[in-house]
């Protein structure tokens, strides 16, 4: 897969994870996810996965 696609997917996953974390802790309201510990944990996994994907993609491109 092209590097920019992996980078874009990582950024998107990190942003979605950040929103889910904020909803899970109750900072962002107006959703069934607000205040739910489950969505906090799901968001945390998504956020960390996105950060790792971005970091891995950036490291792979700088190593060439």
């Amino acid at each position: 897969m092209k590097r920019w696609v992996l980078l874009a997917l990582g950024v998107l996953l990190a942003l979605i994870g950040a929103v889910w974390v904020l909803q899970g802790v109750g900072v962002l309201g107006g959703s069934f996810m607000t205040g739910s510990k489950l969505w906090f944990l799901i968001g945390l996994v998504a956020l960390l996965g996105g950060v790792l994907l971005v970091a891995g993609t950036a490291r792979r491109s700088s190593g060439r």
Side-chain angles (χ1 to χ4, degrees):
M1 210 180 299
K2 292 193 178 218
R3 184 180 68 86
W4 66 269
V5 173
L6 290 176
L7 188 62
L9 286 174
V11 169
L12 184 63
L13 186 61
L15 289 174
I16 290 171
V19 169
W20 288 347
V21 165
L22 292 174
Q23 286 180 329
V25 296
V27 173
L28 293 177
S31 170
F32 67 92
M33 295 184 270
T34 302
S36 173
K37 186 176 181 178
L38 175 65
W39 284 102
F40 168 76
L41 294 173
I42 292 171
L44 192 60
V45 169
L47 178 62
L48 291 175
V51 168
L52 289 174
L53 187 58
V54 168
T57 304
R59 182 174 45 191
R60 186 178 318 143
S61 68
S62 67
R64 286 185 177 190

